[in-house]
Amino acid sequence: MTARARVRAPELTGEGGWLNTGDKHPTLADLRGSIVILDFWTFCCVNCLHVLDELRALEERHRDTVVIVGVHSPKFVHEAEHQAVVDAVERYEVHHPVLDDPQLSTWKQYAVRAWPTLVVIDPEGYVVAQHAGEGHAHALEQLVTALEKEHAAKGTLRRGDGPYVPPEPVATGLRFPGKALALPGSGHFLVSDSTRHALVELAADAESVVRRIGTGTRGLADGNAETARFSEPQGLTLLPDGSVIVADTVNHALRRVDLGTGHVTTVAGTGKQWWQGSPTSGPAREVDLSSPWDVAWFDDRVWIAMAGVHQLWTYDPATETVRVAAGTTNEGLVDGHAAQAWFAQPSGLAAAPERGEAGAPPADGWGRLWIADSETSALRWVERADDDPDADADTAGGDGGEPRRYIIRTAVGTGLFDFGHRDGPAGQALLQHPLGVTALPDGSVAVSDTYNNALRRYDPVTGEVTTLATGLREPSDAVVVDGDIVVVESAGHRLTRMHLPEEAVRVEAVAHRTQRDATDVAAGAFRLDVVFTAPDGQKLDERYGPSTRLLVSATPPELLAEGAGKGTDLFRDLVLDPSVTEGVLHVSAMAASCDDDPANPYPACHVHQQDWGVPVRVGADGDSRLALVLAGLDA
């Protein structure tokens, strides 16, 4: 086994205390003898949710030797509220101890720079590995197996139950519902009951259960209402034929529901998560997807908010194909032609006809597709740009006629780190991690401003943002019914009906910025190193070209005088402009490692990837090197 540095693990501290431990407060000394994996996460982060799913099998296989500890390290103000963390632990079925660390105390002790980050501590209390991002399940399995063998031989491995104590279940009709759909004709509602892995049809009172679709057990299985299985379903949209498409988020799939029979069929996705280098178009059942969070029927296609890869995709029921419609997979807020735009976990979609001065929709029927771009706390939209010859052609699939061209624009929001609750002109207004958007009858847009516990309104004519209602519990979607609006209060486990108010609610303006310590860096020549050590028994496979990728940019762009752009080396020599005193370095890295077996012509390969946004402060006394650990330890 490769020799490892002996670094003593710092103690675990957090002002929010412990969850899932039966009111006990474990220390690292209490965990001595177990292999401890610290999972630094925050519940807004879709990559963190991917890692939770990656860890489930590891938890089960090594339940008597491994203790996973979630260290909740918030990005948004709402995530620092203890009850919100309690809700998230239940919502995402976290079945291990969680330390609530609202002040990022343990984050700083372990010098963590990104969500998610995994730190492995051996049974003697030493840090032996660090992994940032996704795709490390196989590497962790290899490492845990080796540590079990090593410490069993030394007599330092202790087998037995860990400190996890499950909370008491709570009986409610819905549990963390995600999205809702008003069903035509009946006045009923179809709701994604996300934490219970099912769909629920409610009567017109939005409370009485008419039927459930799905067993309520996590899984991917087609069949009738009693046998079908989902995994944390979210978005719903009605097709012209009367069936419903469901964004089955954790299954990375789209499902079709026949409302008459309740029968469920998978129409897109393989059940596997999309990774860089995978196909981005083709037969729908043969192409991987990544955490589809919402769906909407727009311009004769099902548009998909592909939160897991920061893109918009489309599904065409006529040809049974999928393809990327907008976005580069880079995380951020960049407008423009669809193929060059950047998104950050798009999580809500709503189609609305464009309205002119007289309030009438256009003759051609299409208008805007509104987007709740959650991680940038932004309201954005897609519009057709057929009259722009420079716009990307046919990005959503041709129909045999003229190619379709799309443009992405932003109404509210500035980027990844600014958020709050502020009304007024859209250029100055602030949201906080919105998950839903709803087209209103007057041509304006309601935003489910999730982390502000509010319903907001944007008027495209005046450019003003107002607040319609406050005191909601993590609203994630809303639908309009007979002049009223029915809001999905996800953390309230209910649908709430209210009249659309004629006057806005007055709220005190609050602005926030993500609070993370800036790294002091030196102006001029600067070295960026992404540390990656292939797991035991694997190597970087260069047979078909480079197996690593690095993308570097900055906010503001002027911060980087030299070194921005793409490359295949996991290091980059940069030049930082001394006239720019602070900013953010954006780094995206990917490495593919394969089994090191010369006798096997088709070795199994595993992709590791992560995006970092590192706040930096430029000065004469700063460091001239920045190391970001993708996997391993920085020597």
Side-chain angles (χ1 to χ4, degrees):
M1 189 174 185
T2 305
R4 301 185 182 89
R6 302 285 285 177
V7 179
R8 177 67 72 177
E11 191 52 78
L12 307 178
T13 59
E15 291 187 7
W18 288 87
L19 305 176
N20 287 353
T21 58
D23 295 327
K24 294 183 179 179
H25 304 276
T27 65
L28 286 179
D30 298 328
L31 302 177
R32 195 66 50 80
S34 298
I35 300 164
V36 178
I37 300 176
L38 304 181
D39 175 17
F40 290 87
W41 70 299
T42 188
F43 63 79
C44 72
C45 164
V46 71
N47 310 95
C48 299
L49 303 185
H50 290 167
V51 168
L52 285 176
D53 293 314
E54 290 178 2
L55 293 175
R56 294 187 201 280
L58 184 75
E59 281 184 288
E60 183 61 29
R61 281 194 297 268
H62 301 274
R63 58 169 50 188
D64 65 335
T65 58
V66 172
V67 175
I68 295 175
V69 175
V71 182
H72 189 268
S73 312
K75 171 186 175 180
F76 289 97
V77 169
H78 176 67
E79 294 176 305
E81 298 174 10
H82 183 69
Q83 184 57 49
V85 181
V86 173
D87 289 340
V89 168
E90 181 190 352
R91 179 195 300 267
Y92 297 116
E93 296 185 313
V94 180
H95 293 163
H96 51 248
V98 173
L99 176 66
D100 181 11
D101 183 19
Q103 302 300 322
L104 303 182
S105 301
T106 297
W107 167 287
K108 295 172 185 175
Q109 286 292 313
Y110 282 82
V112 175
R113 295 186 182 275
W115 298 277
T117 292
L118 299 167
V119 175
V120 182
I121 303 171
D122 72 14
E124 295 179 285
Y126 291 92
V127 175
V128 294
Q130 181 173 323
H131 301 270
E134 304 177 50
H136 301 293
H138 183 265
L140 289 172
E141 178 69 35
Q142 297 282 92
L143 178 56
V144 164
T145 300
L147 288 172
E148 288 175 337
K149 182 177 179 180
E150 175 185 342
H151 288 274
K154 291 173 65 174
T156 50
L157 182 68
R158 183 186 67 200
R159 295 182 180 271
D161 294 334
Y164 171 66
V165 178
E168 290 293 325
V170 181
T172 54
L174 299 171
R175 205 69 190 163
F176 297 105
K179 307 287 185 181
L181 181 67
L183 299 179
S186 65
H188 292 181
F189 299 92
L190 189 66
V191 185
S192 54
D193 197 10
S194 302
T195 298
R196 292 194 175 132
H197 315 297
L199 308 179
V200 178
E201 183 176 343
L202 299 179
D205 62 5
E207 295 181 5
S208 304
V209 175
V210 176
R211 62 173 169 170
R212 298 185 69 87
I213 300 174
T215 66
T217 301
R218 184 191 297 272
L220 177 56
D222 291 343
N224 59 35
E226 292 74 32
T227 61
R229 296 170 72 181
F230 300 89
S231 187
E232 298 181 31
Q234 288 284 341
L236 308 164
T237 194
L238 197 67
L239 295 186
D241 66 4
S243 63
V244 171
I245 294 293
V246 182
D248 196 5
T249 304
V250 177
N251 277 327
H252 310 295
L254 299 187
R255 318 291 293 281
R256 177 185 176 276
V257 179
D258 184 316
L259 291 176
T261 64
H263 196 272
V264 178
T265 308
T266 301
V267 296
T270 64
K272 297 179 181 178
Q273 183 183 337
W274 185 94
W275 292 99
Q276 291 287 349
S278 300
T280 56
S281 64
R285 290 295 307 273
E286 299 176 15
V287 178
D288 298 336
L289 308 181
S290 182
S291 296
W293 209 277
D294 202 6
V295 282
W297 182 255
F298 173 72
D299 208 11
D300 299 322
R301 301 287 187 272
V302 174
W303 285 65
I304 310 165
M306 203 73 78
V309 286
H310 317 300
Q311 291 181 312
L312 303 180
W313 287 41
T314 60
Y315 163 64
D316 182 355
T319 61
E320 298 183 343
T321 56
V322 293
R323 65 184 301 158
V324 173
T328 65
T329 76
N330 295 322
E331 185 178 14
L333 194 156
V334 175
D335 287 343
H337 300 154
Q340 283 77 49
W342 291 22
F343 299 92
Q345 286 180 220
S347 300
L349 300 174
E354 186 83 36
R355 291 175 181 266
E357 293 183 1
D364 53 23
W366 54 261
R368 293 180 177 181
L369 178 69
W370 293 99
I371 309 160
D373 201 27
S374 63
E375 280 292 285
T376 54
S377 297
L379 172 65
R380 308 174 71 184
W381 80 85
V382 180
E383 64 182 26
R384 287 276 290 265
D386 291 341
D387 58 346
D388 183 352
D390 296 323
D392 310 297
D394 202 20
T395 50
D399 54 7
E402 291 298 317
R404 302 175 181 186
R405 305 173 189 271
Y406 297 95
I407 295 285
I408 311 301
R409 304 192 190 280
T410 296
V412 181
T414 59
L416 286 166
F417 302 105
D418 293 298
F419 56 92
H421 191 156
R422 184 164 63 199
D423 289 336
Q428 301 175 13
L430 293 172
L431 309 169
Q432 186 179 181
H433 198 81
L435 290 178
V437 60
T438 306
L440 298 180
D442 65 355
S444 66
V445 186
V447 180
S448 295
D449 195 6
T450 310
Y451 287 4
N452 278 326
N453 297 312
L455 190 67
R456 312 286 292 282
R457 177 180 178 268
Y458 167 68
D459 186 339
V461 176
T462 65
E464 291 287 315
V465 176
T466 55
T467 297
L468 296 177
T470 59
L472 303 168
R473 291 199 60 193
E474 293 190 8
S476 56
D477 196 19
V479 294
V480 176
V481 179
D482 298 330
D484 291 343
I485 191 161
V486 178
V487 181
V488 179
E489 288 193 75
S490 189
H493 318 295
R494 61 180 175 255
L495 271 58
T496 299
R497 187 165 186 153
M498 61 181 70
H499 293 294
L500 278 170
E502 295 181 2
E503 295 185 2
V505 176
R506 292 188 177 274
V507 296
E508 182 178 353
V510 179
H512 299 290
R513 188 168 177 82
T514 299
Q515 298 300 310
R516 292 169 58 193
D517 291 342
T519 298
D520 289 310
V521 296
F526 184 81
R527 175 71 173 223
L528 171 67
D529 285 319
V530 174
V531 178
F532 178 77
T533 303
D536 288 347
Q538 294 185 28
K539 66 176 182 180
L540 293 175
D541 189 349
E542 308 287 348
R543 291 177 301 167
Y544 307 107
S547 59
T548 57
R549 186 195 70 169
L550 183 64
L551 174 66
V552 181
S553 61
T555 303
E558 294 76 20
L559 173 64
L560 282 178
E562 295 180 18
K566 298 179 180 179
T568 57
D569 293 320
L570 291 181
F571 62 87
R572 185 76 56 85
D573 290 317
L574 312 175
V575 175
L576 303 185
D577 188 333
S579 67
V580 181
T581 58
E582 62 180 22
V584 178
L585 281 176
H586 302 284
V587 181
S588 177
M590 184 274 287
S593 61
C594 302
D595 291 346
D596 188 6
D597 182 2
N600 183 0
Y602 306 106
C605 296
H606 306 273
V607 177
H608 317 258
Q609 65 182 42
Q610 173 62 0
D611 297 334
W612 291 268
V614 182
V616 296
R617 187 167 43 238
V618 182
D621 298 329
D623 295 329
S624 58
R625 174 181 180 266
L626 174 64
L628 301 175
V629 177
L630 180 59
L633 292 172
D634 181 24

